[in-house]
Amino acid sequence: MNFDTANQILKENMALPDAKFGQNFLCDDIITNRIVELAGLKNGDNVLEIGPGIGAITRPISNLDVNLKCVEIDRRLVDILRDSDIDAEIISADYLKLRDCGAEKIDVVVSNLPYYIMTDIMKKIFSECTNSRTLVFMVEQAALERILAIPETKQYGPLSVLCSLYGDVKKEFVVPFSAFIPMPHTTSCVISLRRTSGRIDSGFEGFVEKCFMMRRKRLMKNLADYDRTEVLEAFSKLDIDINCRAEELKPEQFLSLYELLNNLVLND
């Protein structure tokens, strides 16, 4: 979908981009094709697109032999997509409030993520799309600091841990301002995440959030809901300092600690 086509769709439907939804519509076929290629889609894949907008990425994906499901919060855009020739299931909903979209069957997720809810959407995907193999997101470049952060840095937190444990995270390319209607005020980039670990228990995301709840406090303090003796035993087994803070643990240590405290054997 090029600029002229995107502009025509918006004008014909009187659907001006809405700032409250962080809407910047992609209108560059080269960028779109690169995103679809990165998704590595296979025949029969179940694909989830969050925030399809006016369908720049949706259209080329729907032309493939896949089962495409799209979740769009803006009712105006839902009507545009449903009235088009796009072969996909269009769900009119706020993805963050959506309770049943068959997430456990999703193989690939693609999304142009609004920065103001990027973290919440990614956490929900990690928690629910437990069998996905590839995630391709467009994010603001500034967000990469939190996505790629390493232990003992200011940006390190639950999102960094979840991304690292999902698999290989890679910044693929920067997207020029001119690729959007309207042009954004910040630089965007496309990232890919390819699963290398096994399935992580759906409760793990909440556990990591708890660990970082008071990030300047000792980790022991944040785990007050657990039996203190069991926490001390787990710390000892994993060689974790009882005075450490959450930001000092590596992603793998969070997972091992979660397994021990919840008597789980994960990632088989």
Side-chain angles (χ1 to χ4, degrees):
M1 180 180 296
N2 58 33
F3 177 88
D4 290 337
T5 300
N7 206 32
Q8 181 180 353
I9 291 173
L10 292 171
K11 286 184 176 179
E12 288 180 353
N13 291 276
M14 294 181 290
L16 295 176
D18 195 328
K20 73 179 180 182
F21 294 136
Q23 290 174 340
N24 297 98
F25 300 121
L26 187 61
C27 58
D28 187 310
D29 287 330
I30 294 176
I31 300 298
T32 298
N33 291 335
R34 291 181 71 180
I35 290 172
V36 175
E37 183 179 347
L38 284 170
L41 299 173
K42 302 176 183 178
N43 289 346
D45 271 348
N46 294 310
V47 184
L48 173 64
E49 182 181 8
I50 301 166
I54 56 176
I57 300 172
T58 319
R59 282 179 166 78
I61 291 180
S62 70
N63 290 330
L64 302 175
D65 184 14
V66 299
N67 305 304
L68 177 59
K69 187 175 296 188
C70 303
V71 181
E72 174 57 56
I73 192 173
D74 189 336
R75 181 69 209 192
R76 301 171 308 158
L77 304 184
V78 169
D79 292 339
I80 291 173
L81 294 168
R82 287 179 176 170
D83 290 341
S84 71
D85 59 355
I86 292 175
D87 182 13
E89 178 184 356
I90 311 299
I91 301 172
S92 178
D94 178 347
Y95 175 70
L96 292 176
K97 297 178 181 178
L98 191 61
R99 290 293 170 261
D100 184 14
C101 65
E104 71 284 351
K105 296 180 181 179
I106 296 299
D107 300 299
V108 177
V109 182
V110 296
S111 182
N112 178 2
L113 294 171
Y115 184 60
Y116 73 104
I117 53 171
M118 178 203 75
T119 299
D120 290 339
I121 290 178
M122 289 182 68
K123 287 177 181 177
K124 182 176 170 69
I125 291 170
F126 289 131
S127 179
E128 296 183 357
C129 298
T130 50
N131 292 305
S132 62
R133 69 170 186 273
T134 304
L135 314 175
V136 180
F137 299 139
M138 189 180 302
V139 301
E140 286 195 356
Q141 185 160 270
L144 284 178
E145 291 184 17
R146 290 192 293 122
I147 292 171
L148 301 174
I150 60 175
E152 300 190 64
T153 61
K154 183 179 180 180
Q155 297 292 340
Y156 185 61
L159 183 60
S160 321
V161 172
L162 293 168
C163 288
S164 177
L165 289 174
Y166 184 88
D168 293 329
V169 185
K170 182 180 179 182
K171 175 185 174 183
E172 297 290 353
F173 59 90
V174 173
V175 183
F177 298 129
S178 59
F180 300 95
I181 297 177
M183 288 193 290
H185 299 295
T186 56
T187 302
S188 299
C189 64
V190 171
I191 64 171
S192 67
L193 296 89
R194 304 188 188 281
R195 186 184 294 279
T196 56
S197 66
R199 175 174 175 159
I200 295 175
D201 185 81
S202 59
F204 179 68
E205 185 267 325
F207 173 77
V208 178
E209 287 284 350
K210 184 188 295 289
C211 290
F212 280 93
M213 184 169 52
M214 297 180 287
R215 62 182 302 136
R216 302 313 301 167
K217 300 288 186 179
R218 294 188 305 161
L219 179 57
M220 283 286 296
K221 185 79 172 177
N222 290 335
L223 296 176
D225 290 344
Y226 288 91
D227 181 89
R228 180 178 174 82
T229 300
E230 292 182 0
V231 173
L232 290 172
E233 289 178 356
F235 275 33
S236 178
K237 286 182 180 179
L238 300 174
D239 196 26
I240 297 174
D241 188 329
I242 62 171
N243 294 312
C244 78
R245 294 192 293 264
E247 64 190 40
E248 298 176 52
L249 265 63
K250 297 177 181 178
E252 295 78 10
Q253 288 178 297
F254 281 109
L255 185 57
S256 296
L257 183 60
Y258 175 74
E259 292 174 348
L260 285 174
L261 295 179
N262 291 278
N263 299 312
L264 298 173
V265 178
L266 306 176
N267 280 325
D268 287 345

mmCIF file of all heavy atoms in Angstrom, residues 73 85 221:
data_model
loop_
_atom_site.group_PDB
_atom_site.id
_atom_site.type_symbol
_atom_site.label_atom_id
_atom_site.label_comp_id
_atom_site.label_asym_id
_atom_site.label_seq_id
_atom_site.Cartn_x
_atom_site.Cartn_y
_atom_site.Cartn_z
ATOM 1 N N ILE A 73 -8.976 -1.817 17.481
ATOM 2 C CA ILE A 73 -9.737 -1.101 18.500
ATOM 3 C C ILE A 73 -10.632 -0.010 17.910
ATOM 4 O O ILE A 73 -11.666 0.329 18.484
ATOM 5 C CB ILE A 73 -8.774 -0.493 19.543
ATOM 6 C CG1 ILE A 73 -9.552 0.007 20.768
ATOM 7 C CG2 ILE A 73 -7.943 0.627 18.927
ATOM 8 C CD1 ILE A 73 -8.650 0.454 21.908
ATOM 9 N N ASP A 85 -11.660 -6.398 0.421
ATOM 10 C CA ASP A 85 -11.552 -7.783 -0.058
ATOM 11 C C ASP A 85 -10.535 -8.592 0.745
ATOM 12 O O ASP A 85 -10.076 -9.642 0.307
ATOM 13 C CB ASP A 85 -11.160 -7.794 -1.545
ATOM 14 C CG ASP A 85 -9.833 -7.073 -1.804
ATOM 15 O OD1 ASP A 85 -9.274 -6.495 -0.847
ATOM 16 O OD2 ASP A 85 -9.358 -7.086 -2.953
ATOM 17 N N LYS A 221 12.138 -8.715 49.643
ATOM 18 C CA LYS A 221 11.001 -7.890 50.038
ATOM 19 C C LYS A 221 9.845 -8.059 49.063
ATOM 20 O O LYS A 221 8.670 -8.127 49.465
ATOM 21 C CB LYS A 221 11.431 -6.423 50.097
ATOM 22 C CG LYS A 221 10.378 -5.456 50.604
ATOM 23 C CD LYS A 221 10.273 -5.492 52.096
ATOM 24 C CE LYS A 221 9.375 -4.394 52.609
ATOM 25 N NZ LYS A 221 9.195 -4.430 54.078
#
